[in-house]
Amino acid sequence: MTITEVSEKFDIPQDTLRYYERIGLIPRVNRNKSGIRDYSEEDCNWVEFIKCMRSAGLPIEVLIEYVELFQQGDATIEARKELLIEQRKQLIAKIEAMQKTLERLNYKIAVYEQVVVEKEKELKRSEN
Amino acid sequence: MTITEVSEKFDIPQDTLRYYERIGLIPRVNRNKSGIRDYSEEDCNWVEFIKCMRSAGLPIEVLIEYVELFQQGDATIEARKELLIEQRKQLIAKIEAMQKTLERLNYKIAVYEQVVVEKEKELKRSEN
DNA sequence: ACTTGGCTTGGAGTTAACTCCAAGTGTTAT
DNA sequence: ATAACACTTGGAGTTAACTCCAAGCCAAGT
């Protein structure tokens, strides 16, 4: 797959794909004879995985570490697992905080709705 | 309340509190005769509200707009309500995306756990 | 009176995460 | 063969959201 195809498939700018590769957020992609990137199936899986993790706010730094561990082979399986568990913990906390904020927004919106209703009542009263 | 107290109460750096006020993310706080901030009850409520919304990732830009609308009085109630509804929509989407990522992390961790178990079995076998 | 310490302001600096750009190379169409 | 085009690289620029800093003010303690 060319970079253009991958960019379209995952809706990630080409510059971002190159940037991710440069900083080691995805393993290095193979080039063809003329030096142009040729994404393999596995490369695509990495891109998709990273996109998913980034969209949930996992920091790039941590993901780079994960990729580095992965490239060191089986000896780092335990470390990778621990890294993911730590990130899961933080993700759960973030989701919980957001849920709280959501409830607060719901409440605030409900109050505004009530205010609007009151105003309409007043309006009707004054129309008589 | 002094800025030091507010900073400690909400665990927000003083510089951040000043910054929030400077950019209009919270309404201007009154100063005493010698020009020092004296946070009222309402100021504190704003700080707490903004902290909550920011922690859920609502952009500063949008919150500034909310504060501006608020300061324009009752005529903007409908607009404020709409703004909050839009932000709620986006927050729900974000939470859903994060939940998906969480499930994926759970799955990945489970796989790693499985691998670790397999490795242990192998080890035991080779010990015989 | 003088130092200490917390506060003020406006402005500069930092960090994370892109995003853009210039200069250059290789393939394809005319 | 020459233009058009997609791609390459390394490096510079941008954006959001802080974070730090210098210079100065003012009240309290010695």
Side-chain angles (χ1 to χ4, degrees), chain B:
Chain B
M1 267 194 149
T2 69
I3 195 169
T4 305
E5 286 163 347
V6 175
S7 168
E8 275 163 19
K9 178 165 184 185
F10 298 111
D11 193 31
I12 302 176
Q14 298 194 10
D15 265 319
T16 303
L17 287 171
R18 292 198 199 93
Y19 165 69
Y20 281 177
E21 187 180 341
R22 233 194 310 186
I23 63 172
L25 186 49
I26 57 171
R28 191 171 164 74
V29 174
N30 274 340
R31 319 290 146 123
N32 65 20
K33 331 86 214 155
S34 40
I36 288 176
R37 284 174 182 78
D38 181 18
Y39 287 78
S40 71
E41 188 73 24
E42 207 193 325
D43 292 329
C44 288
N45 292 343
W46 272 108
V47 169
E48 202 269 319
F49 171 67
I50 291 298
K51 181 185 175 162
C52 177
M53 294 300 132
R54 285 292 304 132
S55 79
L58 274 73
I60 281 186
E61 221 189 356
V62 171
L63 293 171
I64 289 174
E65 199 192 329
Y66 180 77
V67 173
E68 277 169 3
L69 287 172
F70 178 87
Q71 290 177 324
Q72 285 164 32
D74 282 8
T76 67
I77 284 177
E78 188 66 26
R80 276 182 267 162
K81 199 187 86 184
E82 293 308 321
L83 183 152
L84 293 184
I85 287 173
E86 171 63 23
Q87 293 308 308
R88 173 172 64 179
K89 203 184 93 194
Q90 298 198 15
L91 184 55
I92 289 169
K94 242 188 287 179
I95 290 174
E96 273 166 11
M98 290 174 104
Q99 223 113 34
K100 263 196 192 169
T101 304
L102 177 57
E103 271 155 41
R104 188 150 177 185
L105 271 181
N106 280 335
Y107 176 73
K108 244 180 146 46
I109 289 166
V111 170
Y112 272 119
E113 231 123 50
Q114 196 51 44
V115 171
V116 170
V117 169
E118 297 296 329
K119 288 216 153 193
E120 273 160 14
K121 273 190 203 159
E122 252 176 64
L123 202 68
K124 269 195 192 126
R125 239 180 286 128
S126 67
E127 271 167 4
N128 299 342

